[in-house]
Amino acid sequence: MLRRILLLNALPPALLAAAMLYLDQYQNGLLAAEVEAMRTQARIYAGAIAEAATRVQDDRATLVPEAARPLLRRLVDPSPNTQARLFDNTGLVVADSRVREGSGGAVVTEPLPPPEPRGAFSTGIAGLYDRLVGLVPRDGRDDLVVDVNPNAPSFDWQPNLGPDRREELRLALEGGVTPYIRRTADGRLLVSVAEPARRGNQSVGIVLLTREAREVDQRLFEIRASVLGIFALALLLTVLLSLYLAQTLASPIMQLAGAAAAMRQGEGRAGSVPPALLARRDEIGILARDLQSAARDLWARIDTNERFAADVAHELRNPLTSVRSAIETLRRIENPEQQRRLLAIIADDAVRMDRLIADISDSSRVDAELSRTVAVPVDVAPILSTLVELHQATRAEGDPVVELEAPPGRLVVRGVEGRLVQVFRNLLGNALSFSPRGGAQESRVRVRARPTGTWVEVVVEDEGPGIPEAKLEGIFERFYSERPHGEQFGKHSGLGLSISRQIVEGLRGRIAAENRRDAEGKVTGARFIVRLPVA
């Protein structure tokens, strides 16, 4: 991840630096300005020579070399980097500003090269610059001769002249139409322009100026050096920010992976996620807290399964012990009446074990089924109405009456229809089992449903003895065994309310129990409240 962060962050400034190093348009602008300045200078030189270094005879102007040479040198003296040469109309060199006549013969002068950078740092920067510029793609302008006249003489009859000199002579005879730009073998950038020297309408010669464009290279170097400096600073900041980003992203993810591995090995029961990650307020903190919560839920699920296994073993042991005792007693007695009673006990215990096994199987499937099933919008109004109508249709004399109070319209929640039916059937059956039977006045079980904000609330009330205050939460535990007075033992497994809470909480709802009280504070029954999220 660190390598990817570095690559993605360093790529944009690197592309920008590469694009800025390729300053072709800027270089062309500098060269155009240089050529224009040299043209102006060449016209001044050509005009001065045409006026002061010519001789007119028979209306024909001719060049006077003896006067042109010192004049050309005087004109060029203020520009030491400029070389001026004067050609006659036949293409022969008449004067050269860098050739001086002396007593010992002609002396050729050359301008001093620019000072080399001093110091290891400057030398290193210059070398790095040369290597980078060498990587910049060329478009052929360094050794460019643009639109040379194909009809100009080749000057091959002067074998001692090099190809550059012969090209300059071609340019001179063309009258300075096209500048000649080239880079020498030692890396110097040279610009040449030519201008004809005219006296009246007559051409007496051609002035050729050649200058080393040091300012162009210097300005390009300054700009490229600035770009490289900015790129180096940007690259340094990018690396530092990438390291910081990796430290705040990659390292915490590795810590979370280590915490997950520790949890898998059973070492994270007390919480192995570093507290520093839990305290973060960003996405890493959310992930850390979710991982810690998932681990706690997993360990709670494991503990619940262990308790459930112990409770199952305990609950199944009682009927099995009863069956075994009845069978052993049955072998020893011969009284038919007692044998029938023992067989009845065995039959009841078998039914009880069958009910236990069915409820245990259902309870163990609830979580897995809810995790696999997608919650969908379910209208609970027809479910409640159907359960109430079913009870009223099968109600025996003396049984409690079930009343439904619900607003008109739909009460849509997010859930699983079959499991919601099971919840309401369990709550209704529990209320009916605790409601008194017979008597002068019929007891009633009330079912009320209503929307409350983002919830749909369903309340089931009975007129029974109520719930002991200390057991308001305990009644939702598995195998809770406190039953109504007079109910036959084994008719309920004690898992109904526990399964109901499993289902409601699995659907992101809430279920609670409380006692009904009259105006004097006396308990008049129990109330179960179910809240389910609105779809």
Side-chain angles (χ1 to χ4, degrees):
M1 183 175 289
L2 176 59
R3 290 193 297 271
R4 294 177 181 175
I5 292 174
L6 284 173
L7 178 61
L8 292 177
N9 289 340
L11 187 59
L15 292 177
L16 177 61
M20 291 299 294
L21 286 177
Y22 187 65
L23 298 173
D24 184 72
Q25 185 175 1
Y26 181 70
Q27 181 181 8
N28 290 342
L30 293 178
L31 290 175
E34 186 76 13
V35 168
E36 188 62 30
M38 290 181 65
R39 279 192 187 281
T40 302
Q41 189 176 5
R43 287 170 186 167
I44 295 174
Y45 292 177
I49 291 174
E51 292 295 330
T54 57
R55 181 173 58 245
V56 179
Q57 187 176 5
D58 297 334
D59 293 333
R60 182 177 181 80
T62 59
L63 187 64
V64 181
E66 293 77 8
R69 292 189 185 98
L71 179 58
L72 187 63
R73 287 196 297 270
R74 292 291 299 274
L75 291 172
V76 179
D77 280 343
S79 303
N81 290 331
T82 303
Q83 180 183 9
R85 278 171 287 184
L86 179 61
F87 295 86
D88 62 12
N89 290 328
T90 63
L92 296 178
V93 178
V94 175
D96 190 336
S97 63
R98 291 184 181 176
V99 178
R100 298 178 182 270
E101 298 293 338
S103 58
V107 178
V108 179
T109 62
E110 292 287 343
L112 294 175
E116 295 292 335
R118 298 180 180 179
F121 179 76
S122 298
T123 303
I125 292 295
L128 176 62
Y129 172 78
D130 292 337
R131 285 193 291 271
L132 289 177
V133 171
L135 298 176
V136 175
R138 304 287 186 183
D139 60 359
R141 295 181 185 269
D142 285 349
D143 300 304
L144 180 64
V145 179
V146 182
D147 297 334
V148 174
N149 187 354
N151 297 323
S154 63
F155 296 94
D156 292 337
W157 51 272
Q158 300 186 41
N160 294 328
L161 297 177
D164 293 342
R165 178 67 175 276
R166 292 198 295 271
E167 198 60 49
E168 290 173 357
L169 292 176
R170 290 194 190 94
L171 181 64
L173 291 180
E174 285 182 328
V177 176
T178 305
Y180 178 56
I181 303 172
R182 68 190 183 280
R183 191 176 292 276
T184 62
D186 56 357
R188 293 185 302 155
L189 182 63
L190 300 180
V191 180
S192 297
V193 297
E195 187 71 22
R198 297 180 181 276
R199 182 71 178 266
N201 294 327
Q202 297 179 10
S203 175
V204 296
I206 296 175
V207 176
L208 177 66
L209 296 186
T210 301
R211 179 183 298 172
E212 182 180 352
R214 295 179 183 176
E215 293 80 4
V216 174
D217 282 342
Q218 181 63 29
R219 291 177 185 176
L220 289 175
F221 172 76
E222 292 173 356
I223 292 178
R224 286 168 173 166
S226 300
V227 171
L228 291 177
I230 295 174
F231 169 68
L233 179 61
L235 183 61
L236 177 61
L237 292 177
T238 297
V239 171
L240 294 178
L241 291 176
S242 298
L243 291 175
Y244 170 76
L245 192 61
Q247 188 69 23
T248 56
L249 290 181
S251 298
I253 290 176
M254 291 300 298
Q255 294 178 3
L256 290 177
M263 294 175 186
R264 185 177 65 252
Q265 297 172 1
E267 301 174 1
R269 188 178 183 87
S272 61
V273 178
L277 299 183
L278 295 173
R280 291 180 58 156
R281 298 301 177 187
D282 54 6
E283 290 78 0
I284 297 293
I286 295 174
L287 179 60
R289 290 188 289 274
D290 288 344
L291 179 62
Q292 183 80 338
S293 177
R296 289 175 178 172
D297 292 344
L298 179 61
W299 284 112
R301 184 75 57 83
I302 293 174
D303 293 340
T304 301
N305 290 338
E306 291 177 352
R307 290 195 301 270
F308 182 62
D311 293 341
V312 167
H314 174 74
E315 292 297 323
L316 289 177
R317 187 178 294 113
N318 292 333
L320 286 175
T321 302
S322 176
V323 169
R324 184 171 60 250
S325 299
I327 292 175
E328 291 177 354
T329 305
L330 184 62
R331 291 174 179 173
R332 293 195 300 268
I333 63 175
E334 297 180 357
N335 188 331
E337 183 64 23
Q338 293 180 345
Q339 288 180 348
R340 282 194 298 271
R341 291 177 57 189
L342 290 174
L343 289 176
I345 293 175
I346 294 174
D348 289 341
D349 286 336
V351 172
R352 181 186 175 195
M353 284 190 292
D354 181 70
R355 184 179 297 108
L356 274 173
I357 292 172
D359 289 344
I360 289 170
S361 176
D362 188 31
S363 177
S364 63
R365 288 199 311 268
V366 166
D367 289 337
E369 180 180 334
L370 292 178
S371 64
R372 291 193 303 265
T373 305
V374 178
V376 297
V378 177
D379 188 1
V380 299
I383 295 177
L384 298 176
S385 176
T386 301
L387 290 176
V388 171
E389 292 176 0
L390 182 63
H391 170 75
Q392 295 298 101
T394 58
R395 170 178 169 269
E397 185 177 356
D399 287 346
V401 176
V402 179
E403 298 178 348
L404 175 62
E405 299 177 13
R410 292 159 55 87
L411 297 173
V412 182
V413 301
R414 292 195 64 83
V416 180
E417 184 175 4
R419 289 301 179 180
L420 290 177
V421 171
Q422 184 178 4
V423 169
F424 297 136
R425 190 175 62 241
N426 287 343
L427 295 179
L428 188 59
N430 182 81
L432 291 172
S433 65
F434 279 94
S435 296
R437 284 169 171 76
Q441 187 176 2
E442 293 178 334
S443 62
R444 298 181 181 275
V445 173
R446 295 177 178 84
V447 180
R448 297 198 301 271
R450 60 170 184 167
T452 57
T454 59
W455 302 91
V456 169
E457 183 179 87
V458 179
V459 179
V460 179
E461 295 179 341
D462 61 47
E463 297 178 351
I467 306 170
E469 294 294 333
K471 297 294 185 179
L472 289 177
E473 280 295 322
I475 60 174
F476 293 105
E477 295 179 358
R478 289 187 175 99
F479 305 111
Y480 179 75
S481 58
E482 186 170 338
R483 300 306 307 164
H485 178 71
E487 183 180 89
Q488 185 178 356
F489 179 75
K491 297 291 287 184
H492 293 85
S493 64
L495 287 173
L497 294 179
S498 173
I499 293 175
S500 297
R501 168 166 277 190
Q502 277 184 275
I503 296 172
V504 172
E505 292 182 349
L507 297 175
R508 303 293 187 269
R510 302 170 187 172
I511 184 171
E514 61 184 23
N515 285 317
R516 295 175 57 228
R517 298 180 183 273
D518 57 15
E520 299 177 355
K522 181 180 178 182
V523 175
T524 59
R527 177 187 294 123
F528 288 88
I529 305 170
V530 178
R531 292 185 177 91
L532 295 168
V534 174

